[in-house]
Amino acid sequence: MNVIQAIKTKRAVRQYSPEAVPEPVIREILNAGRLAQSSKNSQPWTFLVLQDKERLLALSKCHPWAGHVADSAFTVVLVTTSAWPFDIGQAAANMQLAAWELGVGSGLVYLSDQAAARALLQVPENQHAEMAIAFGYPKSPEKRPANPAGRKPLDQVVRWEYWESK
Ligand SMILES: Cc1cc2nc3c(=O)[nH]c(=O)nc-3n(C[C@H](O)[C@H](O)[C@H](O)COP(=O)(O)O)c2cc1C
């Protein structure tokens, strides 16, 4: 799979098989995050990996739309010192695309219940921990979405030179 194929086919996966993801595969995914670009190459991130089922269940309760975290093989909390989420967005995209190529599905989650998330993760006060990515092999081949993502047409999201065309 090349990069463009990965970008065109990757979808959010929220149903996972109970199969464990081998550690070398997990490390390859984390390494893709490590290699991401960041402002001034500051690399303001720590990837906090959760695999313990009880902890995954507890994290899944930190947002109404994070239920799939409970069934993930592992979930990575994107911990950052930066209040600007653009940097961790780069690392997230790298990890999710690398995972996709490796046959591992992923789904982003926002941790809206920050009090619960912070109590669970025990991150220091100067760190943000608002986003996480659940990873796992898709539950069954048909649970890996085959259709291209529904997206606005290119002409609707692109303007050339000026906001209003002349
Ligand atoms: C910033 C951000 C936050 C997201 N938060 C959640 C979330 O809390 N729960 C969830 O199930 N999906 C979440 N998603 C995934 C999106 O819902 C999903 O990528 C989008 O609907 C497009 O679907 P697709 O990736 O399958 O094309 C999030 C995505 C982004 C970029």
Side-chain angles (χ1 to χ4, degrees):
M1 184 181 294
N2 64 35
V3 176
I4 288 178
Q5 282 172 330
I7 289 169
K8 284 183 174 171
T9 59
K10 183 197 145 301
R11 300 293 312 279
V13 174
R14 300 184 180 90
Q15 289 181 287
Y16 309 106
S17 102
E19 187 185 349
V21 178
E23 190 175 325
V25 175
I26 296 177
R27 295 184 80 88
E28 188 84 285
I29 292 166
L30 295 168
N31 198 40
R34 179 183 73 85
L35 293 170
Q37 61 187 346
S38 58
S39 173
K40 298 178 185 165
N41 201 23
S42 53
Q43 304 164 68
W45 44 57
T46 301
F47 308 131
L48 184 48
V49 184
L50 275 66
Q51 292 179 287
D52 179 85
K53 288 294 169 200
E54 281 183 20
R55 292 180 59 70
L56 289 170
L57 179 63
L59 193 69
S60 78
K61 293 180 176 164
C62 293
H63 186 55
W65 294 279
H68 51 292
V69 166
D71 297 326
S72 67
F74 68 104
T75 288
V76 178
V77 182
L78 302 163
V79 182
T80 180
T81 50
S82 172
W84 196 37
F86 202 93
D87 291 306
I88 53 164
Q90 306 285 314
N94 270 20
M95 282 194 261
Q96 291 193 276
L97 287 169
W100 191 246
E101 180 177 14
L102 295 165
V104 177
S106 66
L108 270 164
V109 291
Y110 173 53
L111 303 172
S112 55
D113 187 344
Q114 276 290 290
R118 296 187 75 87
L120 179 71
L121 303 168
Q122 297 174 12
V123 292
E125 294 234 331
N126 66 334
Q127 305 271 351
H128 298 263
E130 284 140 19
M131 295 300 301
I133 316 173
F135 291 95
Y137 290 113
K139 188 169 186 178
S140 57
E142 60 273 22
K143 295 290 183 195
R144 175 173 165 152
N147 300 328
R151 296 288 189 265
K152 296 175 184 174
L154 193 63
D155 286 345
Q156 199 178 322
V157 299
V158 177
R159 295 178 186 220
W160 300 89
E161 304 288 355
Y162 299 95
W163 184 258
E164 297 292 348
S165 56
K166 300 269 166 185

